[in-house]
Amino acid sequence: MERSYLLDAFDSGWISSRGEYIGHSEKILASVAGTPYAAVCSNGTTALHLALLAIGIAPGDEVIIPSLTYIATLNALYYVGATPIIVDVLDDTWCIDPTAVESVITARTKAIIAVDLYGQPADYTALAQVAKQHGLRLIADAAESIAGSLHGVPTGALADVSVFSFFGNKVITSGEGGAVTTASPDIDRLVRQLRNQGNHPTQRYVHDMIGYNYRMTNLSAAILTAQLERIDGLVSERRRVVDTYTSLIGGSNAFRLQEVSPGAVPTPWMISVRITGLDSARRDEVIQRLGEVGIESRPVFPLIQTMPFVPKEHRRSTPVAELISQEGISLPTFPQLSDDTIQMIVDALHRTLAQI
């Protein structure tokens, strides 16, 4: 249906940020996310920027984030002038450690960003308790976990505000795209105004706040609508791929899988495993050798505080995340992978480890 909807949007003449597929995609997404409000935008990073602005994060505010995440989580904080307080992750799920979060809260702390790393929902039960106790906002960076859940609650409804990414390699894609979901009409109203150059909701060319051009095009929304309409099948195929990997390598002492937390139903974006005992240099050698036989793999995200532009005062020691990042490797996870191909990849991985 993607091609059909895309051509329909093109033929309608509404190819930019107005058109019926914008509303169609938002309606379906709200249902998937379990929230009354969903606003699409240009990508996942702009979604996070909009969420931070909509909840009032301002220069000097402290926001707690995990060290093991994609750089966009950190970049969005710098966009608004906030101070990132980087903490460690849990050894089993690789998601932000609620105990570590509570240990760094100060009078300047305003929010927590949890990241559903590789599609594994963070411990929102514990995080929500911490946030409530200290009067903080809770943001879910659910860029990788659409259609996942925790204790029956969809990932889009586990925090005050949640953000998604629809980049080309995500489970659901619009080529480029993102979204903000929330149960708050005030947050939704602000997100919609901010994404549209701060334009007044009813008075055209009246801009009563600084805004941004973060709108999704109707063409992208047409693709997104088709993807969302068949989300069950797309997620099911990803889960089949990950389940097959798990059955083949789960019993090996050479590997540690990212664990599923109690009550969680992940949406596996990418199968990532730890090769136990390897340093980053040898892990990178594994990646290189797999590439030489036609198997693309990649390292687990490096720690965000190691990036050259991060000020010294924002760098923290996060030993659990450091070990996961050092040992971690992500393997091919696209839904068209056959079981035989997955077996071939796992066999090549074992041969490579034996060689080094």
mmCIF file with all atom_site columns, all heavy atoms in Angstrom, residues 312-336:
data_model
loop_
_atom_site.group_PDB
_atom_site.id
_atom_site.type_symbol
_atom_site.label_atom_id
_atom_site.label_alt_id
_atom_site.label_comp_id
_atom_site.label_asym_id
_atom_site.label_entity_id
_atom_site.label_seq_id
_atom_site.pdbx_PDB_ins_code
_atom_site.Cartn_x
_atom_site.Cartn_y
_atom_site.Cartn_z
_atom_site.occupancy
_atom_site.B_iso_or_equiv
_atom_site.pdbx_formal_charge
_atom_site.auth_seq_id
_atom_site.auth_comp_id
_atom_site.auth_asym_id
_atom_site.auth_atom_id
_atom_site.pdbx_PDB_model_num
ATOM 1   N N   . LYS A 1 312 ? 34.006 18.679  29.479 1.00 0.00 ? 312 LYS A N   1
ATOM 2   C CA  . LYS A 1 312 ? 34.594 17.826  30.507 1.00 0.00 ? 312 LYS A CA  1
ATOM 3   C C   . LYS A 1 312 ? 33.673 17.695  31.715 1.00 0.00 ? 312 LYS A C   1
ATOM 4   O O   . LYS A 1 312 ? 33.541 16.617  32.301 1.00 0.00 ? 312 LYS A O   1
ATOM 5   C CB  . LYS A 1 312 ? 35.949 18.394  30.932 1.00 0.00 ? 312 LYS A CB  1
ATOM 6   C CG  . LYS A 1 312 ? 36.682 17.542  31.955 1.00 0.00 ? 312 LYS A CG  1
ATOM 7   C CD  . LYS A 1 312 ? 38.050 18.122  32.284 1.00 0.00 ? 312 LYS A CD  1
ATOM 8   C CE  . LYS A 1 312 ? 38.786 17.257  33.302 1.00 0.00 ? 312 LYS A CE  1
ATOM 9   N NZ  . LYS A 1 312 ? 40.128 17.821  33.631 1.00 0.00 ? 312 LYS A NZ  1
ATOM 10  N N   . GLU A 1 313 ? 32.994 18.786  32.062 1.00 0.00 ? 313 GLU A N   1
ATOM 11  C CA  . GLU A 1 313 ? 32.148 18.764  33.259 1.00 0.00 ? 313 GLU A CA  1
ATOM 12  C C   . GLU A 1 313 ? 30.892 17.915  33.069 1.00 0.00 ? 313 GLU A C   1
ATOM 13  O O   . GLU A 1 313 ? 30.193 17.610  34.056 1.00 0.00 ? 313 GLU A O   1
ATOM 14  C CB  . GLU A 1 313 ? 31.769 20.182  33.681 1.00 0.00 ? 313 GLU A CB  1
ATOM 15  C CG  . GLU A 1 313 ? 30.994 20.979  32.643 1.00 0.00 ? 313 GLU A CG  1
ATOM 16  C CD  . GLU A 1 313 ? 31.884 21.794  31.723 1.00 0.00 ? 313 GLU A CD  1
ATOM 17  O OE1 . GLU A 1 313 ? 33.080 21.422  31.563 1.00 0.00 ? 313 GLU A OE1 1
ATOM 18  O OE2 . GLU A 1 313 ? 31.396 22.791  31.166 1.00 0.00 ? 313 GLU A OE2 1
ATOM 19  N N   . HIS A 1 314 ? 30.585 17.528  31.846 1.00 0.00 ? 314 HIS A N   1
ATOM 20  C CA  . HIS A 1 314 ? 29.419 16.685  31.592 1.00 0.00 ? 314 HIS A CA  1
ATOM 21  C C   . HIS A 1 314 ? 29.777 15.195  31.479 1.00 0.00 ? 314 HIS A C   1
ATOM 22  O O   . HIS A 1 314 ? 28.889 14.363  31.334 1.00 0.00 ? 314 HIS A O   1
ATOM 23  C CB  . HIS A 1 314 ? 28.712 17.122  30.310 1.00 0.00 ? 314 HIS A CB  1
ATOM 24  C CG  . HIS A 1 314 ? 28.092 18.474  30.398 1.00 0.00 ? 314 HIS A CG  1
ATOM 25  N ND1 . HIS A 1 314 ? 27.581 19.141  29.301 1.00 0.00 ? 314 HIS A ND1 1
ATOM 26  C CD2 . HIS A 1 314 ? 27.908 19.306  31.460 1.00 0.00 ? 314 HIS A CD2 1
ATOM 27  C CE1 . HIS A 1 314 ? 27.117 20.315  29.681 1.00 0.00 ? 314 HIS A CE1 1
ATOM 28  N NE2 . HIS A 1 314 ? 27.308 20.451  30.978 1.00 0.00 ? 314 HIS A NE2 1
ATOM 29  N N   . ARG A 1 315 ? 31.055 14.895  31.563 1.00 0.00 ? 315 ARG A N   1
ATOM 30  C CA  . ARG A 1 315 ? 31.498 13.508  31.426 1.00 0.00 ? 315 ARG A CA  1
ATOM 31  C C   . ARG A 1 315 ? 31.436 12.794  32.769 1.00 0.00 ? 315 ARG A C   1
ATOM 32  O O   . ARG A 1 315 ? 31.826 13.346  33.789 1.00 0.00 ? 315 ARG A O   1
ATOM 33  C CB  . ARG A 1 315 ? 32.919 13.455  30.859 1.00 0.00 ? 315 ARG A CB  1
ATOM 34  C CG  . ARG A 1 315 ? 33.029 14.063  29.466 1.00 0.00 ? 315 ARG A CG  1
ATOM 35  C CD  . ARG A 1 315 ? 34.479 14.163  29.017 1.00 0.00 ? 315 ARG A CD  1
ATOM 36  N NE  . ARG A 1 315 ? 34.561 14.801  27.702 1.00 0.00 ? 315 ARG A NE  1
ATOM 37  C CZ  . ARG A 1 315 ? 34.673 14.136  26.560 1.00 0.00 ? 315 ARG A CZ  1
ATOM 38  N NH1 . ARG A 1 315 ? 34.730 12.807  26.567 1.00 0.00 ? 315 ARG A NH1 1
ATOM 39  N NH2 . ARG A 1 315 ? 34.737 14.784  25.413 1.00 0.00 ? 315 ARG A NH2 1
ATOM 40  N N   . ARG A 1 316 ? 30.928 11.574  32.740 1.00 0.00 ? 316 ARG A N   1
ATOM 41  C CA  . ARG A 1 316 ? 30.802 10.791  33.967 1.00 0.00 ? 316 ARG A CA  1
ATOM 42  C C   . ARG A 1 316 ? 31.264 9.363   33.718 1.00 0.00 ? 316 ARG A C   1
ATOM 43  O O   . ARG A 1 316 ? 31.238 8.885   32.586 1.00 0.00 ? 316 ARG A O   1
ATOM 44  C CB  . ARG A 1 316 ? 29.356 10.776  34.464 1.00 0.00 ? 316 ARG A CB  1
ATOM 45  C CG  . ARG A 1 316 ? 28.860 12.096  35.025 1.00 0.00 ? 316 ARG A CG  1
ATOM 46  C CD  . ARG A 1 316 ? 27.380 12.050  35.342 1.00 0.00 ? 316 ARG A CD  1
ATOM 47  N NE  . ARG A 1 316 ? 26.929 13.275  35.980 1.00 0.00 ? 316 ARG A NE  1
ATOM 48  C CZ  . ARG A 1 316 ? 26.805 13.439  37.290 1.00 0.00 ? 316 ARG A CZ  1
ATOM 49  N NH1 . ARG A 1 316 ? 27.107 12.449  38.105 1.00 0.00 ? 316 ARG A NH1 1
ATOM 50  N NH2 . ARG A 1 316 ? 26.384 14.585  37.788 1.00 0.00 ? 316 ARG A NH2 1
ATOM 51  N N   . SER A 1 317 ? 31.632 8.693   34.800 1.00 0.00 ? 317 SER A N   1
ATOM 52  C CA  . SER A 1 317 ? 32.004 7.281   34.721 1.00 0.00 ? 317 SER A CA  1
ATOM 53  C C   . SER A 1 317 ? 30.743 6.419   34.792 1.00 0.00 ? 317 SER A C   1
ATOM 54  O O   . SER A 1 317 ? 29.949 6.548   35.722 1.00 0.00 ? 317 SER A O   1
ATOM 55  C CB  . SER A 1 317 ? 32.946 6.922   35.875 1.00 0.00 ? 317 SER A CB  1
ATOM 56  O OG  . SER A 1 317 ? 33.193 5.527   35.891 1.00 0.00 ? 317 SER A OG  1
ATOM 57  N N   . THR A 1 318 ? 30.578 5.561   33.798 1.00 0.00 ? 318 THR A N   1
ATOM 58  C CA  . THR A 1 318 ? 29.427 4.651   33.750 1.00 0.00 ? 318 THR A CA  1
ATOM 59  C C   . THR A 1 318 ? 29.949 3.258   33.376 1.00 0.00 ? 318 THR A C   1
ATOM 60  O O   . THR A 1 318 ? 29.889 2.848   32.213 1.00 0.00 ? 318 THR A O   1
ATOM 61  C CB  . THR A 1 318 ? 28.371 5.138   32.737 1.00 0.00 ? 318 THR A CB  1
ATOM 62  O OG1 . THR A 1 318 ? 28.991 5.324   31.458 1.00 0.00 ? 318 THR A OG1 1
ATOM 63  C CG2 . THR A 1 318 ? 27.760 6.458   33.184 1.00 0.00 ? 318 THR A CG2 1
ATOM 64  N N   . PRO A 1 319 ? 30.469 2.522   34.351 1.00 0.00 ? 319 PRO A N   1
ATOM 65  C CA  . PRO A 1 319 ? 31.200 1.281   34.048 1.00 0.00 ? 319 PRO A CA  1
ATOM 66  C C   . PRO A 1 319 ? 30.363 0.175   33.414 1.00 0.00 ? 319 PRO A C   1
ATOM 67  O O   . PRO A 1 319 ? 30.873 -0.570  32.585 1.00 0.00 ? 319 PRO A O   1
ATOM 68  C CB  . PRO A 1 319 ? 31.740 0.847   35.413 1.00 0.00 ? 319 PRO A CB  1
ATOM 69  C CG  . PRO A 1 319 ? 30.935 1.598   36.434 1.00 0.00 ? 319 PRO A CG  1
ATOM 70  C CD  . PRO A 1 319 ? 30.547 2.879   35.786 1.00 0.00 ? 319 PRO A CD  1
ATOM 71  N N   . VAL A 1 320 ? 29.097 0.068   33.793 1.00 0.00 ? 320 VAL A N   1
ATOM 72  C CA  . VAL A 1 320 ? 28.263 -0.975  33.190 1.00 0.00 ? 320 VAL A CA  1
ATOM 73  C C   . VAL A 1 320 ? 28.065 -0.688  31.710 1.00 0.00 ? 320 VAL A C   1
ATOM 74  O O   . VAL A 1 320 ? 28.257 -1.558  30.844 1.00 0.00 ? 320 VAL A O   1
ATOM 75  C CB  . VAL A 1 320 ? 26.908 -1.094  33.911 1.00 0.00 ? 320 VAL A CB  1
ATOM 76  C CG1 . VAL A 1 320 ? 26.001 -2.101  33.190 1.00 0.00 ? 320 VAL A CG1 1
ATOM 77  C CG2 . VAL A 1 320 ? 27.107 -1.510  35.362 1.00 0.00 ? 320 VAL A CG2 1
ATOM 78  N N   . ALA A 1 321 ? 27.690 0.539   31.406 1.00 0.00 ? 321 ALA A N   1
ATOM 79  C CA  . ALA A 1 321 ? 27.495 0.931   30.010 1.00 0.00 ? 321 ALA A CA  1
ATOM 80  C C   . ALA A 1 321 ? 28.785 0.797   29.219 1.00 0.00 ? 321 ALA A C   1
ATOM 81  O O   . ALA A 1 321 ? 28.777 0.397   28.045 1.00 0.00 ? 321 ALA A O   1
ATOM 82  C CB  . ALA A 1 321 ? 26.977 2.368   29.936 1.00 0.00 ? 321 ALA A CB  1
ATOM 83  N N   . GLU A 1 322 ? 29.905 1.114   29.843 1.00 0.00 ? 322 GLU A N   1
ATOM 84  C CA  . GLU A 1 322 ? 31.189 1.017   29.155 1.00 0.00 ? 322 GLU A CA  1
ATOM 85  C C   . GLU A 1 322 ? 31.479 -0.419  28.728 1.00 0.00 ? 322 GLU A C   1
ATOM 86  O O   . GLU A 1 322 ? 31.928 -0.673  27.598 1.00 0.00 ? 322 GLU A O   1
ATOM 87  C CB  . GLU A 1 322 ? 32.304 1.530   30.061 1.00 0.00 ? 322 GLU A CB  1
ATOM 88  C CG  . GLU A 1 322 ? 33.670 1.523   29.398 1.00 0.00 ? 322 GLU A CG  1
ATOM 89  C CD  . GLU A 1 322 ? 34.752 2.134   30.281 1.00 0.00 ? 322 GLU A CD  1
ATOM 90  O OE1 . GLU A 1 322 ? 34.443 2.590   31.390 1.00 0.00 ? 322 GLU A OE1 1
ATOM 91  O OE2 . GLU A 1 322 ? 35.923 2.137   29.836 1.00 0.00 ? 322 GLU A OE2 1
ATOM 92  N N   . LEU A 1 323 ? 31.198 -1.376  29.599 1.00 0.00 ? 323 LEU A N   1
ATOM 93  C CA  . LEU A 1 323 ? 31.463 -2.778  29.273 1.00 0.00 ? 323 LEU A CA  1
ATOM 94  C C   . LEU A 1 323 ? 30.521 -3.268  28.175 1.00 0.00 ? 323 LEU A C   1
ATOM 95  O O   . LEU A 1 323 ? 30.940 -3.990  27.258 1.00 0.00 ? 323 LEU A O   1
ATOM 96  C CB  . LEU A 1 323 ? 31.311 -3.643  30.525 1.00 0.00 ? 323 LEU A CB  1
ATOM 97  C CG  . LEU A 1 323 ? 31.772 -5.101  30.415 1.00 0.00 ? 323 LEU A CG  1
ATOM 98  C CD1 . LEU A 1 323 ? 33.235 -5.174  29.984 1.00 0.00 ? 323 LEU A CD1 1
ATOM 99  C CD2 . LEU A 1 323 ? 31.561 -5.831  31.738 1.00 0.00 ? 323 LEU A CD2 1
ATOM 100 N N   . ILE A 1 324 ? 29.246 -2.874  28.250 1.00 0.00 ? 324 ILE A N   1
ATOM 101 C CA  . ILE A 1 324 ? 28.296 -3.261  27.200 1.00 0.00 ? 324 ILE A CA  1
ATOM 102 C C   . ILE A 1 324 ? 28.726 -2.682  25.861 1.00 0.00 ? 324 ILE A C   1
ATOM 103 O O   . ILE A 1 324 ? 28.721 -3.367  24.828 1.00 0.00 ? 324 ILE A O   1
ATOM 104 C CB  . ILE A 1 324 ? 26.874 -2.786  27.555 1.00 0.00 ? 324 ILE A CB  1
ATOM 105 C CG1 . ILE A 1 324 ? 26.366 -3.500  28.817 1.00 0.00 ? 324 ILE A CG1 1
ATOM 106 C CG2 . ILE A 1 324 ? 25.915 -3.034  26.393 1.00 0.00 ? 324 ILE A CG2 1
ATOM 107 C CD1 . ILE A 1 324 ? 25.079 -2.917  29.377 1.00 0.00 ? 324 ILE A CD1 1
ATOM 108 N N   . SER A 1 325 ? 29.112 -1.422  25.851 1.00 0.00 ? 325 SER A N   1
ATOM 109 C CA  . SER A 1 325 ? 29.540 -0.769  24.624 1.00 0.00 ? 325 SER A CA  1
ATOM 110 C C   . SER A 1 325 ? 30.795 -1.426  24.057 1.00 0.00 ? 325 SER A C   1
ATOM 111 O O   . SER A 1 325 ? 30.947 -1.562  22.841 1.00 0.00 ? 325 SER A O   1
ATOM 112 C CB  . SER A 1 325 ? 29.796 0.715   24.886 1.00 0.00 ? 325 SER A CB  1
ATOM 113 O OG  . SER A 1 325 ? 30.244 1.373   23.729 1.00 0.00 ? 325 SER A OG  1
ATOM 114 N N   . GLN A 1 326 ? 31.677 -1.841  24.928 1.00 0.00 ? 326 GLN A N   1
ATOM 115 C CA  . GLN A 1 326 ? 32.933 -2.472  24.523 1.00 0.00 ? 326 GLN A CA  1
ATOM 116 C C   . GLN A 1 326 ? 32.696 -3.845  23.901 1.00 0.00 ? 326 GLN A C   1
ATOM 117 O O   . GLN A 1 326 ? 33.322 -4.202  22.897 1.00 0.00 ? 326 GLN A O   1
ATOM 118 C CB  . GLN A 1 326 ? 33.830 -2.615  25.756 1.00 0.00 ? 326 GLN A CB  1
ATOM 119 C CG  . GLN A 1 326 ? 35.063 -3.468  25.579 1.00 0.00 ? 326 GLN A CG  1
ATOM 120 C CD  . GLN A 1 326 ? 35.790 -3.645  26.896 1.00 0.00 ? 326 GLN A CD  1
ATOM 121 O OE1 . GLN A 1 326 ? 36.182 -2.667  27.540 1.00 0.00 ? 326 GLN A OE1 1
ATOM 122 N NE2 . GLN A 1 326 ? 35.973 -4.893  27.312 1.00 0.00 ? 326 GLN A NE2 1
ATOM 123 N N   . GLU A 1 327 ? 31.790 -4.620  24.469 1.00 0.00 ? 327 GLU A N   1
ATOM 124 C CA  . GLU A 1 327 ? 31.566 -6.000  24.031 1.00 0.00 ? 327 GLU A CA  1
ATOM 125 C C   . GLU A 1 327 ? 30.466 -6.141  22.987 1.00 0.00 ? 327 GLU A C   1
ATOM 126 O O   . GLU A 1 327 ? 30.354 -7.185  22.341 1.00 0.00 ? 327 GLU A O   1
ATOM 127 C CB  . GLU A 1 327 ? 31.189 -6.879  25.234 1.00 0.00 ? 327 GLU A CB  1
ATOM 128 C CG  . GLU A 1 327 ? 32.255 -6.996  26.299 1.00 0.00 ? 327 GLU A CG  1
ATOM 129 C CD  . GLU A 1 327 ? 31.795 -7.848  27.471 1.00 0.00 ? 327 GLU A CD  1
ATOM 130 O OE1 . GLU A 1 327 ? 30.566 -8.013  27.651 1.00 0.00 ? 327 GLU A OE1 1
ATOM 131 O OE2 . GLU A 1 327 ? 32.653 -8.348  28.214 1.00 0.00 ? 327 GLU A OE2 1
ATOM 132 N N   . GLY A 1 328 ? 29.639 -5.101  22.827 1.00 0.00 ? 328 GLY A N   1
ATOM 133 C CA  . GLY A 1 328 ? 28.402 -5.243  22.069 1.00 0.00 ? 328 GLY A CA  1
ATOM 134 C C   . GLY A 1 328 ? 28.568 -5.178  20.565 1.00 0.00 ? 328 GLY A C   1
ATOM 135 O O   . GLY A 1 328 ? 29.356 -4.394  20.034 1.00 0.00 ? 328 GLY A O   1
ATOM 136 N N   . ILE A 1 329 ? 27.778 -5.996  19.880 1.00 0.00 ? 329 ILE A N   1
ATOM 137 C CA  . ILE A 1 329 ? 27.741 -6.009  18.425 1.00 0.00 ? 329 ILE A CA  1
ATOM 138 C C   . ILE A 1 329 ? 26.295 -6.182  17.982 1.00 0.00 ? 329 ILE A C   1
ATOM 139 O O   . ILE A 1 329 ? 25.537 -6.940  18.602 1.00 0.00 ? 329 ILE A O   1
ATOM 140 C CB  . ILE A 1 329 ? 28.633 -7.143  17.857 1.00 0.00 ? 329 ILE A CB  1
ATOM 141 C CG1 . ILE A 1 329 ? 28.626 -7.135  16.330 1.00 0.00 ? 329 ILE A CG1 1
ATOM 142 C CG2 . ILE A 1 329 ? 28.232 -8.499  18.390 1.00 0.00 ? 329 ILE A CG2 1
ATOM 143 C CD1 . ILE A 1 329 ? 29.620 -8.109  15.708 1.00 0.00 ? 329 ILE A CD1 1
ATOM 144 N N   . SER A 1 330 ? 25.905 -5.458  16.950 1.00 0.00 ? 330 SER A N   1
ATOM 145 C CA  . SER A 1 330 ? 24.560 -5.561  16.390 1.00 0.00 ? 330 SER A CA  1
ATOM 146 C C   . SER A 1 330 ? 24.642 -6.317  15.068 1.00 0.00 ? 330 SER A C   1
ATOM 147 O O   . SER A 1 330 ? 25.486 -6.011  14.223 1.00 0.00 ? 330 SER A O   1
ATOM 148 C CB  . SER A 1 330 ? 23.934 -4.178  16.179 1.00 0.00 ? 330 SER A CB  1
ATOM 149 O OG  . SER A 1 330 ? 23.778 -3.509  17.413 1.00 0.00 ? 330 SER A OG  1
ATOM 150 N N   . LEU A 1 331 ? 23.752 -7.277  14.896 1.00 0.00 ? 331 LEU A N   1
ATOM 151 C CA  . LEU A 1 331 ? 23.753 -8.155  13.733 1.00 0.00 ? 331 LEU A CA  1
ATOM 152 C C   . LEU A 1 331 ? 22.587 -7.819  12.805 1.00 0.00 ? 331 LEU A C   1
ATOM 153 O O   . LEU A 1 331 ? 21.645 -7.145  13.214 1.00 0.00 ? 331 LEU A O   1
ATOM 154 C CB  . LEU A 1 331 ? 23.664 -9.616  14.194 1.00 0.00 ? 331 LEU A CB  1
ATOM 155 C CG  . LEU A 1 331 ? 24.809 -10.094 15.087 1.00 0.00 ? 331 LEU A CG  1
ATOM 156 C CD1 . LEU A 1 331 ? 24.487 -11.450 15.698 1.00 0.00 ? 331 LEU A CD1 1
ATOM 157 C CD2 . LEU A 1 331 ? 26.121 -10.148 14.305 1.00 0.00 ? 331 LEU A CD2 1
ATOM 158 N N   . PRO A 1 332 ? 22.638 -8.277  11.551 1.00 0.00 ? 332 PRO A N   1
ATOM 159 C CA  . PRO A 1 332 ? 21.527 -8.000  10.633 1.00 0.00 ? 332 PRO A CA  1
ATOM 160 C C   . PRO A 1 332 ? 20.185 -8.431  11.207 1.00 0.00 ? 332 PRO A C   1
ATOM 161 O O   . PRO A 1 332 ? 20.061 -9.536  11.746 1.00 0.00 ? 332 PRO A O   1
ATOM 162 C CB  . PRO A 1 332 ? 21.893 -8.836  9.397  1.00 0.00 ? 332 PRO A CB  1
ATOM 163 C CG  . PRO A 1 332 ? 23.375 -8.962  9.450  1.00 0.00 ? 332 PRO A CG  1
ATOM 164 C CD  . PRO A 1 332 ? 23.714 -9.051  10.911 1.00 0.00 ? 332 PRO A CD  1
ATOM 165 N N   . THR A 1 333 ? 19.177 -7.550  11.113 1.00 0.00 ? 333 THR A N   1
ATOM 166 C CA  . THR A 1 333 ? 17.876 -7.821  11.742 1.00 0.00 ? 333 THR A CA  1
ATOM 167 C C   . THR A 1 333 ? 16.712 -7.501  10.815 1.00 0.00 ? 333 THR A C   1
ATOM 168 O O   . THR A 1 333 ? 15.577 -7.484  11.263 1.00 0.00 ? 333 THR A O   1
ATOM 169 C CB  . THR A 1 333 ? 17.737 -7.000  13.043 1.00 0.00 ? 333 THR A CB  1
ATOM 170 O OG1 . THR A 1 333 ? 18.989 -6.983  13.755 1.00 0.00 ? 333 THR A OG1 1
ATOM 171 C CG2 . THR A 1 333 ? 16.702 -7.605  13.994 1.00 0.00 ? 333 THR A CG2 1
ATOM 172 N N   . PHE A 1 334 ? 16.964 -7.239  9.544  1.00 0.00 ? 334 PHE A N   1
ATOM 173 C CA  . PHE A 1 334 ? 15.856 -6.844  8.687  1.00 0.00 ? 334 PHE A CA  1
ATOM 174 C C   . PHE A 1 334 ? 14.868 -8.004  8.512  1.00 0.00 ? 334 PHE A C   1
ATOM 175 O O   . PHE A 1 334 ? 15.253 -9.180  8.538  1.00 0.00 ? 334 PHE A O   1
ATOM 176 C CB  . PHE A 1 334 ? 16.345 -6.320  7.342  1.00 0.00 ? 334 PHE A CB  1
ATOM 177 C CG  . PHE A 1 334 ? 17.216 -7.263  6.553  1.00 0.00 ? 334 PHE A CG  1
ATOM 178 C CD1 . PHE A 1 334 ? 16.660 -8.118  5.616  1.00 0.00 ? 334 PHE A CD1 1
ATOM 179 C CD2 . PHE A 1 334 ? 18.592 -7.272  6.741  1.00 0.00 ? 334 PHE A CD2 1
ATOM 180 C CE1 . PHE A 1 334 ? 17.457 -8.972  4.866  1.00 0.00 ? 334 PHE A CE1 1
ATOM 181 C CE2 . PHE A 1 334 ? 19.399 -8.123  5.997  1.00 0.00 ? 334 PHE A CE2 1
ATOM 182 C CZ  . PHE A 1 334 ? 18.832 -8.977  5.062  1.00 0.00 ? 334 PHE A CZ  1
ATOM 183 N N   . PRO A 1 335 ? 13.583 -7.699  8.383  1.00 0.00 ? 335 PRO A N   1
ATOM 184 C CA  . PRO A 1 335 ? 12.547 -8.734  8.479  1.00 0.00 ? 335 PRO A CA  1
ATOM 185 C C   . PRO A 1 335 ? 12.556 -9.764  7.365  1.00 0.00 ? 335 PRO A C   1
ATOM 186 O O   . PRO A 1 335 ? 11.971 -10.837 7.517  1.00 0.00 ? 335 PRO A O   1
ATOM 187 C CB  . PRO A 1 335 ? 11.238 -7.933  8.465  1.00 0.00 ? 335 PRO A CB  1
ATOM 188 C CG  . PRO A 1 335 ? 11.589 -6.611  7.871  1.00 0.00 ? 335 PRO A CG  1
ATOM 189 C CD  . PRO A 1 335 ? 13.010 -6.352  8.256  1.00 0.00 ? 335 PRO A CD  1
ATOM 190 N N   . GLN A 1 336 ? 13.234 -9.490  6.252  1.00 0.00 ? 336 GLN A N   1
ATOM 191 C CA  . GLN A 1 336 ? 13.268 -10.453 5.150  1.00 0.00 ? 336 GLN A CA  1
ATOM 192 C C   . GLN A 1 336 ? 14.279 -11.573 5.373  1.00 0.00 ? 336 GLN A C   1
ATOM 193 O O   . GLN A 1 336 ? 14.377 -12.493 4.561  1.00 0.00 ? 336 GLN A O   1
ATOM 194 C CB  . GLN A 1 336 ? 13.579 -9.740  3.832  1.00 0.00 ? 336 GLN A CB  1
ATOM 195 C CG  . GLN A 1 336 ? 12.474 -8.829  3.319  1.00 0.00 ? 336 GLN A CG  1
ATOM 196 C CD  . GLN A 1 336 ? 12.459 -7.476  4.009  1.00 0.00 ? 336 GLN A CD  1
ATOM 197 O OE1 . GLN A 1 336 ? 13.429 -7.093  4.658  1.00 0.00 ? 336 GLN A OE1 1
ATOM 198 N NE2 . GLN A 1 336 ? 11.363 -6.737  3.887  1.00 0.00 ? 336 GLN A NE2 1
#
